[in-house]
Coordinates of all heavy atoms in Angstrom, one line a residue:
M183 N 123.8 131.2 137.5 CA 123.1 130.4 136.6 C 121.7 130.2 137.0 O 120.7 130.3 136.2 CB 123.8 129.1 136.3 CG 123.1 128.2 135.3 SD 123.2 128.9 133.7 CE 122.6 127.6 132.8
D184 N 121.4 130.0 138.3 CA 120.1 129.7 138.8 C 119.2 130.9 138.5 O 118.0 130.8 138.2 CB 120.1 129.4 140.3 CG 120.7 128.0 140.5 OD1 120.6 127.2 139.6 OD2 121.3 127.8 141.5
D185 N 119.7 132.2 138.8 CA 118.9 133.4 138.5 C 118.5 133.5 137.0 O 117.4 133.8 136.7 CB 119.6 134.6 139.0 CG 119.8 134.7 140.5 OD1 119.0 134.1 141.2 OD2 120.7 135.4 140.9
E186 N 119.5 133.2 136.2 CA 119.2 133.3 134.7 C 118.2 132.2 134.3 O 117.3 132.5 133.5 CB 120.6 133.0 134.0 CG 120.4 133.2 132.5 CD 121.7 133.0 131.8 OE1 122.8 133.1 132.4 OE2 121.7 132.8 130.6
L187 N 118.3 131.0 134.8 CA 117.4 130.0 134.5 C 116.0 130.4 135.0 O 115.0 130.2 134.3 CB 117.8 128.6 135.1 CG 116.9 127.4 134.9 CD1 116.7 127.2 133.4 CD2 117.5 126.2 135.6
G188 N 115.9 130.9 136.2 CA 114.6 131.4 136.8 C 114.0 132.4 135.9 O 112.8 132.4 135.7
R189 N 114.8 133.3 135.4 CA 114.2 134.4 134.5 C 113.7 133.8 133.2 O 112.6 134.2 132.7 CB 115.3 135.4 134.2 CG 115.5 136.4 135.3 CD 116.4 137.6 134.8 NE 117.7 137.2 134.4 CZ 118.7 137.0 135.2 NH1 118.6 137.2 136.5 NH2 119.9 136.7 134.6
K190 N 114.4 132.8 132.7 CA 113.9 132.2 131.4 C 112.7 131.4 131.7 O 111.8 131.4 130.8 CB 115.0 131.3 130.9 CG 116.2 132.1 130.3 CD 117.3 131.2 129.8 CE 118.4 132.2 129.3 NZ 119.5 131.5 128.8
L191 N 112.5 130.7 132.8 CA 111.3 130.0 133.1 C 110.1 131.0 133.3 O 109.0 130.7 132.9 CB 111.5 129.1 134.3 CG 112.5 128.0 134.1 CD1 112.7 127.2 135.4 CD2 111.9 127.0 133.1
Q192 N 110.4 132.2 133.9 CA 109.4 133.2 134.0 C 108.9 133.7 132.7 O 107.8 134.0 132.5 CB 109.9 134.4 134.8 CG 110.1 134.1 136.3 CD 110.7 135.3 137.0 OE1 111.3 136.2 136.5 NE2 110.6 135.2 138.4
D193 N 109.8 133.6 131.7 CA 109.4 134.0 130.3 C 108.3 133.1 129.8 O 107.4 133.5 129.1 CB 110.6 134.0 129.3 CG 111.6 135.1 129.6 OD1 111.2 136.1 130.3 OD2 112.7 135.0 129.1
F194 N 108.4 131.8 130.1 CA 107.3 130.9 129.7 C 106.0 131.2 130.4 O 105.0 131.3 129.8 CB 107.7 129.4 130.1 CG 108.7 128.8 129.2 CD1 109.8 128.2 129.8 CD2 108.7 128.8 127.9 CE1 110.8 127.6 129.1 CE2 109.6 128.2 127.1 CZ 110.7 127.6 127.7
D195 N 106.1 131.5 131.7 CA 104.9 131.9 132.5 C 104.3 133.2 131.9 O 103.1 133.3 131.8 CB 105.3 132.0 133.9 CG 105.7 130.7 134.6 OD1 105.3 129.7 134.1 OD2 106.4 130.8 135.6
L196 N 105.2 134.1 131.6 CA 104.7 135.4 131.1 C 104.0 135.2 129.7 O 103.0 135.8 129.4 CB 105.9 136.4 130.9 CG 105.5 137.8 130.4 CD1 104.5 138.5 131.3 CD2 106.8 138.6 130.2
A197 N 104.6 134.3 128.9 CA 104.0 134.0 127.6 C 102.6 133.5 127.8 O 101.6 133.8 127.1 CB 104.8 133.1 126.8
I198 N 102.4 132.6 128.8 CA 101.1 132.0 129.0 C 100.1 133.0 129.6 O 99.0 133.1 129.2 CB 101.2 130.8 130.0 CG1 102.0 129.6 129.3 CG2 99.9 130.3 130.5 CD1 102.4 128.5 130.2
E199 N 100.6 133.8 130.5 CA 99.7 134.9 131.1 C 99.3 135.9 130.1 O 98.2 136.5 130.2 CB 100.5 135.5 132.3 CG 100.6 134.6 133.5 CD 99.3 134.1 134.1 OE1 98.3 134.9 134.2 OE2 99.2 132.9 134.3
S200 N 100.2 136.2 129.2 CA 99.8 137.3 128.2 C 99.1 136.8 127.0 O 98.7 137.6 126.1 CB 101.1 138.1 127.8 OG 102.0 137.2 127.1
A201 N 98.9 135.5 126.9 CA 98.3 134.9 125.7 C 97.0 135.5 125.3 O 96.7 135.8 124.1 CB 98.1 133.4 125.9
P202 N 96.1 135.8 126.3 CA 94.8 136.4 125.9 C 94.9 137.7 125.1 O 94.1 138.1 124.3 CB 94.1 136.6 127.2 CG 94.7 135.6 128.1 CD 96.1 135.5 127.7
Y203 N 96.0 138.5 125.4 CA 96.2 139.7 124.7 C 96.5 139.5 123.2 O 96.4 140.4 122.4 CB 97.4 140.5 125.3 CG 97.1 141.0 126.7 CD1 97.6 140.3 127.8 CD2 96.3 142.1 126.9 CE1 97.4 140.8 129.1 CE2 96.0 142.5 128.2 CZ 96.5 141.8 129.3 OH 96.2 142.3 130.5
Y204 N 96.9 138.3 122.8 CA 97.2 137.9 121.5 C 96.1 137.0 120.9 O 96.4 136.4 119.8 CB 98.6 137.3 121.4 CG 99.6 138.2 121.9 CD1 100.1 138.0 123.2 CD2 100.1 139.2 121.2 CE1 101.1 138.8 123.7 CE2 101.1 140.1 121.7 CZ 101.6 139.9 123.0 OH 102.5 140.7 123.5
G205 N 95.0 136.9 121.5 CA 93.9 136.1 121.0 C 94.0 134.6 121.3 O 93.3 133.8 120.6
L206 N 94.8 134.2 122.2 CA 95.0 132.8 122.6 C 94.4 132.6 124.0 O 94.6 133.4 124.9 CB 96.4 132.4 122.5 CG 97.1 132.2 121.2 CD1 98.6 132.0 121.4 CD2 96.5 131.1 120.4
K207 N 93.9 131.4 124.2 CA 93.5 131.0 125.5 C 94.8 130.5 126.2 O 95.7 130.0 125.6 CB 92.5 129.9 125.5 CG 91.1 130.4 124.9 CD 90.1 129.3 124.9 CE 88.8 129.8 124.4 NZ 87.8 128.8 124.3
K208 N 94.8 130.7 127.5 CA 96.0 130.3 128.3 C 96.3 128.8 128.1 O 97.5 128.4 127.9 CB 95.9 130.6 129.8 CG 95.9 132.1 130.1 CD 95.8 132.3 131.6 CE 95.8 133.8 131.9 NZ 95.7 134.0 133.3
N209 N 95.3 127.9 128.1 CA 95.6 126.5 127.9 C 96.2 126.2 126.5 O 97.0 125.3 126.3 CB 94.4 125.6 128.2 CG 93.2 125.9 127.2 OD1 93.2 126.9 126.5 ND2 92.3 124.9 127.3
Q210 N 95.7 127.0 125.5 CA 96.3 126.8 124.1 C 97.8 127.3 124.1 O 98.6 126.6 123.5 CB 95.5 127.6 123.1 CG 96.0 127.4 121.7 CD 96.0 126.0 121.2 OE1 95.1 125.2 121.6 NE2 96.9 125.7 120.3
A211 N 98.0 128.4 124.8 CA 99.4 128.9 124.8 C 100.3 127.9 125.5 O 101.4 127.6 125.1 CB 99.5 130.2 125.6
K212 N 99.8 127.2 126.6 CA 100.6 126.2 127.3 C 100.9 125.0 126.3 O 102.0 124.5 126.3 CB 99.9 125.8 128.5 CG 100.8 124.7 129.3 CD 100.2 124.4 130.7 CE 101.0 123.4 131.4 NZ 102.1 122.7 130.8
K213 N 99.9 124.6 125.6 CA 100.1 123.5 124.7 C 101.1 123.9 123.6 O 101.9 123.0 123.2 CB 98.7 123.2 124.0 CG 97.8 122.4 124.9 CD 96.5 122.2 124.1 CE 95.4 121.6 125.0 NZ 94.1 121.3 124.3
E214 N 101.0 125.1 123.1 CA 102.0 125.6 122.1 C 103.4 125.6 122.7 O 104.4 125.1 122.0 CB 101.7 127.0 121.6 CG 100.4 127.0 120.8 CD 100.4 126.3 119.5 OE1 101.5 126.3 118.9 OE2 99.3 125.9 119.0
I215 N 103.6 126.0 123.9 CA 104.9 126.1 124.5 C 105.4 124.6 124.7 O 106.6 124.3 124.5 CB 104.9 126.9 125.8 CG1 104.7 128.4 125.5 CG2 106.1 126.6 126.7 CD1 104.4 129.2 126.7
D216 N 104.5 123.8 125.2 CA 104.9 122.4 125.4 C 105.3 121.7 124.1 O 106.3 120.9 124.0 CB 103.8 121.6 126.0 CG 103.5 121.9 127.5 OD1 104.4 122.6 128.1 OD2 102.5 121.6 128.0
M217 N 104.6 122.0 123.0 CA 105.0 121.5 121.7 C 106.4 122.0 121.2 O 107.2 121.3 120.8 CB 104.0 121.9 120.6 CG 104.1 121.2 119.3 SD 104.7 122.1 117.9 CE 104.3 123.8 118.2
I218 N 106.6 123.3 121.4 CA 107.9 123.9 121.1 C 109.0 123.2 121.9 O 110.1 122.9 121.4 CB 107.9 125.4 121.3 CG1 107.0 126.0 120.2 CG2 109.3 126.0 121.2 CD1 106.7 127.5 120.5
K219 N 108.8 123.1 123.2 CA 109.8 122.4 124.0 C 110.1 121.0 123.6 O 111.2 120.5 123.6 CB 109.4 122.5 125.5 CG 109.4 123.8 126.1 CD 109.2 123.9 127.6 CE 108.1 123.1 128.1 NZ 107.8 123.3 129.6
S220 N 109.0 120.3 123.2 CA 109.2 118.9 122.7 C 110.0 118.9 121.4 O 110.9 118.0 121.2 CB 107.8 118.3 122.4 OG 107.9 117.0 121.8
V221 N 109.7 119.8 120.5 CA 110.5 119.9 119.2 C 112.0 120.1 119.6 O 112.9 119.5 119.0 CB 109.9 121.0 118.3 CG1 110.9 121.3 117.2 CG2 108.6 120.5 117.8
V222 N 112.2 121.1 120.5 CA 113.6 121.4 120.8 C 114.3 120.2 121.5 O 115.4 119.8 121.1 CB 113.7 122.6 121.8 CG1 115.1 122.8 122.4 CG2 113.2 123.9 121.1
R223 N 113.6 119.6 122.4 CA 114.1 118.4 123.2 C 114.4 117.3 122.2 O 115.5 116.6 122.4 CB 113.1 117.9 124.2 CG 113.5 116.8 125.0 CD 112.5 116.3 126.0 NE 111.8 117.3 126.8 CZ 110.5 117.6 126.7 NH1 109.7 117.0 125.9 NH2 110.1 118.6 127.5
N224 N 113.6 117.1 121.2 CA 113.8 115.9 120.3 C 114.7 116.2 119.1 O 115.0 115.2 118.4 CB 112.4 115.4 119.9 CG 111.6 114.9 121.0 OD1 112.1 114.2 121.9 ND2 110.3 115.1 121.0
N225 N 115.0 117.4 118.8 CA 115.7 117.7 117.5 C 117.0 118.5 117.7 O 117.6 118.8 116.7 CB 114.7 118.5 116.6 CG 113.6 117.7 116.2 OD1 113.7 116.6 115.6 ND2 112.4 118.2 116.5
W226 N 117.3 118.9 118.9 CA 118.5 119.8 119.0 C 119.8 119.1 118.6 O 120.7 119.7 118.1 CB 118.6 120.4 120.4 CG 118.9 119.4 121.5 CD1 118.0 118.8 122.4 CD2 120.2 119.0 121.9 NE1 118.7 118.0 123.2 CE2 120.0 118.1 123.0 CE3 121.5 119.2 121.5 CZ2 121.1 117.5 123.6 CZ3 122.6 118.6 122.1 CH2 122.4 117.7 123.2
R227 N 119.8 117.8 118.9 CA 121.1 117.1 118.5 C 121.3 117.1 117.0 O 122.4 117.3 116.6 CB 121.0 115.6 119.1 CG 121.2 115.5 120.6 CD 121.2 114.1 121.0 NE 121.3 114.0 122.4 CZ 120.3 113.9 123.3 NH1 119.1 114.0 122.9 NH2 120.6 113.9 124.6
E228 N 120.3 116.8 116.3 CA 120.4 116.8 114.8 C 120.8 118.1 114.3 O 121.6 118.3 113.4 CB 119.1 116.2 114.2 CG 119.2 116.1 112.7 CD 120.3 115.0 112.3 OE1 120.5 114.0 113.0 OE2 120.9 115.2 111.2
L229 N 120.1 119.2 114.8 CA 120.4 120.5 114.4 C 121.9 120.9 114.8 O 122.6 121.5 114.0 CB 119.5 121.5 115.0 CG 119.7 123.0 114.7 CD1 119.6 123.2 113.2 CD2 118.7 123.8 115.4
A230 N 122.3 120.5 115.9 CA 123.7 120.8 116.4 C 124.7 120.1 115.5 O 125.7 120.7 115.1 CB 123.9 120.3 117.8
K231 N 124.4 118.8 115.1 CA 125.3 118.1 114.1 C 125.4 118.8 112.8 O 126.5 119.0 112.2 CB 124.8 116.7 113.9 CG 125.0 115.8 115.1 CD 124.4 114.4 114.8 CE 124.4 113.5 116.0 NZ 123.8 112.2 115.7
K232 N 124.2 119.3 112.3 CA 124.2 120.0 111.0 C 125.0 121.3 111.1 O 125.8 121.7 110.3 CB 122.8 120.3 110.6 CG 122.1 119.1 110.1 CD 120.6 119.5 109.7 CE 119.9 118.2 109.3 NZ 118.5 118.6 109.0
M233 N 124.8 122.0 112.2 CA 125.6 123.3 112.4 C 127.1 123.0 112.6 O 127.9 123.7 112.1 CB 125.0 124.0 113.7 CG 123.6 124.5 113.4 SD 122.9 125.3 114.9 CE 123.9 126.8 114.9
A234 N 127.4 121.9 113.3 CA 128.8 121.6 113.5 C 129.5 121.3 112.2 O 130.6 121.7 112.0 CB 128.9 120.4 114.5
S235 N 128.8 120.6 111.3 CA 129.4 120.3 110.0 C 129.6 121.5 109.2 O 130.6 121.7 108.4 CB 128.6 119.2 109.3 OG 127.4 119.7 108.9
A236 N 128.7 122.5 109.3 CA 128.8 123.7 108.6 C 130.0 124.6 109.2 O 130.7 125.3 108.4 CB 127.5 124.5 108.6
V237 N 130.1 124.5 110.5 CA 131.2 125.2 111.2 C 132.6 124.7 110.7 O 133.5 125.5 110.7 CB 131.0 125.1 112.7 CG1 132.3 125.6 113.4 CG2 129.8 125.8 113.1
D238 N 132.7 123.5 110.3 CA 134.0 122.9 109.9 C 134.6 123.7 108.8 O 135.8 123.7 108.6 CB 133.9 121.5 109.5 CG 133.7 120.6 110.7 OD1 134.0 121.0 111.8 OD2 133.2 119.5 110.5
T239 N 133.8 124.4 108.0 CA 134.4 125.2 106.8 C 134.8 126.6 107.2 O 135.4 127.3 106.4 CB 133.3 125.2 105.7 OG1 132.2 125.9 106.2 CG2 132.9 123.9 105.2
L240 N 134.5 127.0 108.5 CA 134.8 128.3 108.9 C 136.2 128.4 109.4 O 136.9 127.4 109.7 CB 133.8 128.8 110.0 CG 132.4 128.8 109.6 CD1 131.5 129.1 110.8 CD2 132.1 129.8 108.5
V241 N 136.7 129.6 109.6 CA 138.0 129.8 110.2 C 138.0 129.3 111.6 O 137.0 129.3 112.3 CB 138.5 131.3 110.2 CG1 138.7 131.8 108.8 CG2 137.5 132.2 110.9
P242 N 139.2 128.8 112.1 CA 139.2 128.2 113.5 C 138.6 129.0 114.6 O 137.9 128.5 115.4 CB 140.7 127.8 113.7 CG 141.2 127.7 112.3 CD 140.4 128.7 111.5
D243 N 139.0 130.3 114.6 CA 138.5 131.2 115.7 C 137.0 131.2 115.8 O 136.4 131.1 116.8 CB 139.1 132.6 115.6 CG 138.7 133.5 116.7 OD1 138.8 133.0 117.9 OD2 138.3 134.6 116.5
T244 N 136.4 131.4 114.6 CA 135.0 131.5 114.5 C 134.4 130.2 114.8 O 133.3 130.1 115.5 CB 134.5 131.9 113.1 OG1 135.2 133.2 112.8 CG2 133.1 132.1 113.0
K245 N 135.0 129.1 114.4 CA 134.5 127.7 114.7 C 134.4 127.5 116.2 O 133.5 127.0 116.7 CB 135.4 126.7 114.0 CG 135.0 125.3 114.3 CD 135.9 124.3 113.6 CE 135.6 122.9 113.9 NZ 136.5 122.0 113.3
E246 N 135.5 127.9 116.9 CA 135.5 127.7 118.4 C 134.4 128.5 119.0 O 133.7 128.0 119.9 CB 136.9 128.2 118.9 CG 138.0 127.2 118.7 CD 139.3 127.7 119.2 OE1 139.3 128.5 120.2 OE2 140.3 127.2 118.7
R247 N 134.2 129.8 118.6 CA 133.1 130.6 119.2 C 131.8 130.0 118.9 O 130.9 129.9 119.8 CB 133.2 132.0 118.7 CG 134.4 132.8 119.4 CD 134.3 134.2 119.0 NE 134.9 134.3 117.6 CZ 134.4 135.1 116.7 NH1 133.4 135.9 116.9 NH2 135.0 135.2 115.5
I248 N 131.5 129.5 117.7 CA 130.2 128.9 117.4 C 130.0 127.6 118.1 O 128.9 127.4 118.7 CB 130.1 128.8 115.9 CG1 130.0 130.1 115.2 CG2 128.9 127.9 115.5 CD1 130.0 130.1 113.7
N249 N 131.0 126.8 118.2 CA 130.9 125.6 119.0 C 130.6 125.9 120.5 O 129.8 125.2 121.1 CB 132.2 124.7 118.9 CG 132.2 123.9 117.6 OD1 131.2 123.6 117.0 ND2 133.4 123.6 117.1
W250 N 131.2 126.9 121.0 CA 131.0 127.3 122.4 C 129.5 127.7 122.5 O 128.8 127.3 123.5 CB 131.9 128.4 122.8 CG 131.6 128.8 124.3 CD1 132.1 128.2 125.4 CD2 130.7 129.8 124.7 NE1 131.6 128.8 126.5 CE2 130.8 129.8 126.1 CE3 129.9 130.7 124.1 CZ2 130.0 130.7 126.9 CZ3 129.2 131.6 124.8 CH2 129.2 131.6 126.2
K251 N 129.0 128.5 121.6 CA 127.6 129.0 121.7 C 126.7 127.8 121.5 O 125.6 127.8 122.2 CB 127.4 130.0 120.6 CG 128.1 131.4 120.9 CD 127.8 132.4 119.9 CE 128.5 133.7 120.2 NZ 128.1 134.8 119.3
I252 N 126.9 126.9 120.6 CA 126.1 125.7 120.5 C 126.0 124.9 121.8 O 125.0 124.5 122.3 CB 126.6 124.8 119.3 CG1 126.3 125.5 118.0 CG2 125.9 123.5 119.3 CD1 127.0 124.8 116.8
T253 N 127.2 124.7 122.4 CA 127.2 123.9 123.6 C 126.5 124.7 124.7 O 125.7 124.1 125.5 CB 128.7 123.7 124.0 OG1 129.3 123.0 123.0 CG2 128.8 123.0 125.4
H254 N 126.7 126.0 124.8 CA 126.0 126.8 125.8 C 124.5 126.8 125.6 O 123.8 126.6 126.6 CB 126.6 128.2 125.7 CG 126.0 129.2 126.8 ND1 126.3 129.1 128.1 CD2 125.1 130.2 126.6 CE1 125.7 130.0 128.8 NE2 124.9 130.7 127.9
L255 N 124.1 126.9 124.4 CA 122.6 126.9 124.1 C 122.0 125.5 124.5 O 121.0 125.4 125.1 CB 122.4 127.2 122.6 CG 120.9 127.2 122.2 CD1 120.1 128.2 123.0 CD2 120.9 127.4 120.7
R256 N 122.7 124.4 124.1 CA 122.3 123.1 124.4 C 122.1 122.9 125.9 O 121.1 122.4 126.4 CB 123.2 122.1 123.9 CG 122.8 120.6 124.1 CD 123.8 119.6 123.9 NE 124.8 119.8 124.9 CZ 126.1 119.6 124.8 NH1 126.6 119.2 123.6 NH2 127.0 119.8 125.8
N257 N 123.1 123.4 126.7 CA 123.1 123.3 128.1 C 121.9 124.1 128.7 O 121.3 123.6 129.6 CB 124.4 123.7 128.7 CG 125.5 122.7 128.4 OD1 125.3 121.6 128.1 ND2 126.8 123.2 128.5
E258 N 121.7 125.3 128.2 CA 120.6 126.1 128.7 C 119.3 125.4 128.4 O 118.4 125.4 129.3 CB 120.6 127.5 128.0 CG 121.9 128.3 128.3 CD 121.6 129.4 129.3 OE1 120.4 129.7 129.5 OE2 122.5 130.0 129.8
I259 N 119.1 124.9 127.2 CA 117.8 124.2 126.9 C 117.6 123.0 127.8 O 116.5 122.8 128.3 CB 117.8 123.8 125.4 CG1 117.7 125.1 124.5 CG2 116.6 122.9 125.1 CD1 117.9 124.9 123.1
T260 N 118.7 122.2 128.0 CA 118.6 121.0 128.8 C 118.2 121.4 130.2 O 117.4 120.8 130.8 CB 119.9 120.3 128.8 OG1 120.2 119.9 127.4 CG2 119.9 119.0 129.6
N261 N 118.9 122.5 130.8 CA 118.6 122.9 132.1 C 117.1 123.3 132.2 O 116.4 123.0 133.2 CB 119.5 124.1 132.5 CG 120.9 123.6 132.8 OD1 121.1 122.4 133.1 ND2 121.8 124.5 132.7
I262 N 116.6 124.1 131.3 CA 115.2 124.6 131.3 C 114.3 123.4 131.3 O 113.3 123.3 132.1 CB 114.9 125.5 130.2 CG1 115.7 126.9 130.4 CG2 113.4 125.8 130.0 CD1 115.6 127.8 129.2
L263 N 114.5 122.5 130.4 CA 113.6 121.3 130.3 C 113.6 120.4 131.5 O 112.6 120.0 132.0 CB 113.9 120.5 129.0 CG 113.7 121.2 127.7 CD1 114.2 120.4 126.5 CD2 112.3 121.6 127.5
H264 N 114.8 120.2 132.1 CA 114.9 119.4 133.3 C 114.2 120.1 134.4 O 113.5 119.5 135.2 CB 116.3 119.0 133.6 CG 116.9 118.0 132.8 ND1 116.5 116.7 132.8 CD2 117.9 118.0 131.9 CE1 117.2 116.0 131.9 NE2 118.1 116.8 131.3
F265 N 114.4 121.4 134.6 CA 113.8 122.1 135.7 C 112.3 122.1 135.6 O 111.6 121.9 136.5 CB 114.4 123.6 135.7 CG 113.9 124.4 136.8 CD1 114.5 124.2 138.1 CD2 112.8 125.3 136.7 CE1 114.1 125.0 139.2 CE2 112.4 126.0 137.8 CZ 113.0 125.9 139.0
R266 N 111.8 122.3 134.3 CA 110.3 122.3 134.1 C 109.7 121.0 134.4 O 108.6 120.9 134.9 CB 110.0 122.7 132.7 CG 110.0 124.2 132.5 CD 109.0 124.9 133.3 NE 108.2 125.7 132.5 CZ 107.3 126.6 133.0 NH1 107.1 126.6 134.2 NH2 106.6 127.3 132.2
E267 N 110.4 119.9 134.0 CA 109.9 118.5 134.2 C 109.8 118.2 135.7 O 109.0 117.5 136.1 CB 110.8 117.5 133.5 CG 110.6 117.6 132.0 CD 111.5 116.7 131.2 OE1 112.4 116.0 131.8 OE2 111.4 116.7 129.9
K268 N 110.8 118.7 136.5 CA 110.8 118.4 137.9 C 109.7 119.3 138.6 O 109.3 118.9 139.7 CB 112.2 118.8 138.5 CG 113.2 117.8 138.1 CD 114.6 118.2 138.7 CE 115.7 117.2 138.3 NZ 116.9 117.5 138.8
G269 N 109.4 120.4 138.1 CA 108.5 121.4 138.7 C 107.1 120.9 138.5 O 106.2 120.6 139.1

């Protein structure tokens, strides 16, 4: 898991480093990434609730897989945000 988390954090760094190729200054790219992380941090629970209620109408096997993916995604996002805040 640590290697996977490290690769994902490198993706943020790569996005910042490559920003000038897309017409953005690095500090603007960092602000955009911080804003996206804030939106995810503050809204993932509500989105997960909406998705979970939609999942209730699906067949049980699909519901279990989707619930697992939601939980996995939530954990990944939480790990990234905690790791970045500590760094």
Side-chain angles (χ1 to χ4, degrees):
M183 179 67 170
D184 291 329
D185 290 338
E186 184 178 343
L187 179 59
R189 282 192 299 274
K190 289 179 181 177
L191 292 174
Q192 286 175 346
D193 289 345
F194 288 129
D195 295 336
L196 181 59
I198 293 169
E199 291 300 316
S200 64
Y203 294 103
Y204 303 101
L206 288 172
K207 294 181 179 178
K208 288 182 182 181
N209 64 343
Q210 181 61 31
K212 183 170 179 355
K213 287 180 186 177
E214 295 290 332
I215 288 171
D216 289 343
M217 190 252 336
I218 291 168
K219 290 189 311 187
S220 175
V221 168
V222 171
R223 183 184 308 116
N224 296 322
N225 296 302
W226 69 263
R227 284 182 182 93
E228 186 62 32
L229 178 59
K231 286 178 187 176
K232 288 178 183 176
M233 291 177 72
S235 66
V237 167
D238 287 339
T239 62
L240 301 174
V241 294
D243 181 48
T244 303
K245 180 180 174 181
E246 284 180 22
R247 284 186 282 138
I248 291 174
N249 281 334
W250 180 86
K251 288 182 180 184
I252 290 169
T253 300
H254 183 71
L255 179 60
R256 183 194 69 212
N257 291 339
E258 295 254 347
I259 291 169
T260 301
N261 288 337
I262 290 170
L263 294 175
H264 284 294
F265 186 80
R266 278 298 231 189
E267 289 173 358
K268 290 179 182 179

